[in-house]
Structures are given as C-alpha cells and as structure tokens.
Amino acid sequence: MILLYYPDLFSMLQRLQRNMARPQKKTDSSKTREEAMATAKATQRPGQSKEQTRLIAQGIQKGIEHYKKQQKAKARELDKNLKKVRKQTESPVQEAEAVTEEVIHYKQHWLPWLLLGLSWGAFVLYLMTSGT
C-alpha cells in the first residue's frame, strides 16, 4: 500500500539496508573529541582563552554525538519500514486477486453534433445563395 504512493521508497530502503549490512566502524569518543577540538581551534578568535576553546569543543562534541544518535535512530526506523514493506510484498495479497478491471465508456451528448451539423448546413446554404 505504501509503495503505491512512494514508488522510490522500496529501492531507497534496499540501498539503505545494503549500506547497513557493511561492517561499520565503532565511533570512538576520542575521535569525536579530536574532531571537535580541531573544529574549535579552527574557529578560534584572537584573544580567546583555552578554557573558552575547550568549552566550545565540548559543545561541538555534544552536537556531533547528538547528530550520530539521530542518524542511528533514522536508520533503525528505515530498517523497520523496509521489513514492513518486504513483509507486505512477500505475503500473498487477497485484495490484488479480487481487483476487477473497470471499463469506462464515454457517452457523448447529441446536442453539440447537431449544432455543428446545423452550422455547416447554414454555411453551405449561405454560399449557395450568395454565389448566384
């Protein structure tokens, strides 16, 4: 049902699962700490104390960790959706068998055709009378 509204969702979820199947490196807090300190030093202002730089680095580190947690939560949610979609596509759907083919017949009204014929008839009659 979800695939009808979002056809690219299934392929996106498959790509995500392939990426998640790869062994991921364990993110070390020391690596995050080093990245945060490097960023804090890169944006350091003249006259800024080491304590201020350290506090900025701690804030950046918390932000990085928060971002990583959000990304992990998104990955888990997408994995759940992928499993749900697979379960729906693998199970035989009874509704699909019961779908009847609808045939639409358009019935046109006779009035426009009558008016068209009368206008052409009047035009031909006008040409015949004005030409002689």
Side-chain angles (χ1 to χ4, degrees), residues 116-132:
L116 180 67
L118 287 174
S119 66
W120 276 98
F123 179 68
V124 169
L125 200 83
Y126 171 76
L127 288 177
M128 290 172 60
T129 57
S130 68
T132 49

Side-chain angles (χ1 to χ4, degrees), residues 2-122:
I2 294 173
L3 291 176
L4 296 175
Y5 297 108
Y6 304 104
D8 296 331
L9 178 67
F10 190 70
S11 61
M12 181 180 69
L13 291 173
Q14 284 179 332
R15 278 185 270 133
L16 178 67
Q17 187 181 23
R18 281 193 302 263
N19 290 342
M20 290 179 67
R22 296 179 191 152
Q24 296 179 349
K25 296 178 183 176
K26 188 80 172 179
T27 56
D28 192 16
S29 62
S30 63
K31 182 179 177 184
T32 306
R33 207 175 304 125
E34 289 171 6
E35 289 176 10
M37 186 56 83
T39 306
K41 285 183 179 179
T43 59
Q44 189 174 13
R45 306 269 172 148
Q48 184 174 322
S49 68
K50 286 185 178 182
E51 181 65 25
Q52 290 172 332
T53 306
R54 188 182 60 80
L55 290 173
I56 291 171
Q58 283 179 350
I60 293 172
Q61 181 182 353
K62 286 182 183 179
I64 292 171
E65 290 171 356
H66 181 68
Y67 175 78
K68 288 180 180 179
K69 285 180 186 178
Q70 284 180 336
Q71 295 305 312
K72 287 179 184 179
K74 284 181 184 179
R76 283 194 301 271
E77 185 66 32
L78 286 174
D79 191 39
K80 286 179 187 178
N81 289 341
L82 177 64
K83 287 179 182 178
K84 186 185 290 185
V85 168
R86 279 195 179 156
K87 190 174 186 179
Q88 286 178 354
T89 56
E90 289 175 0
S91 65
V93 180
Q94 295 175 357
E95 294 176 15
E97 296 172 1
V99 173
T100 58
E101 187 176 320
E102 294 183 26
V103 179
I104 300 173
H105 295 283
Y106 292 103
K107 184 176 180 184
Q108 294 184 349
H109 201 269
W110 53 270
L111 182 62
W113 291 106
L114 176 70
L115 292 173
L116 180 67
L118 287 174
S119 66
W120 276 98

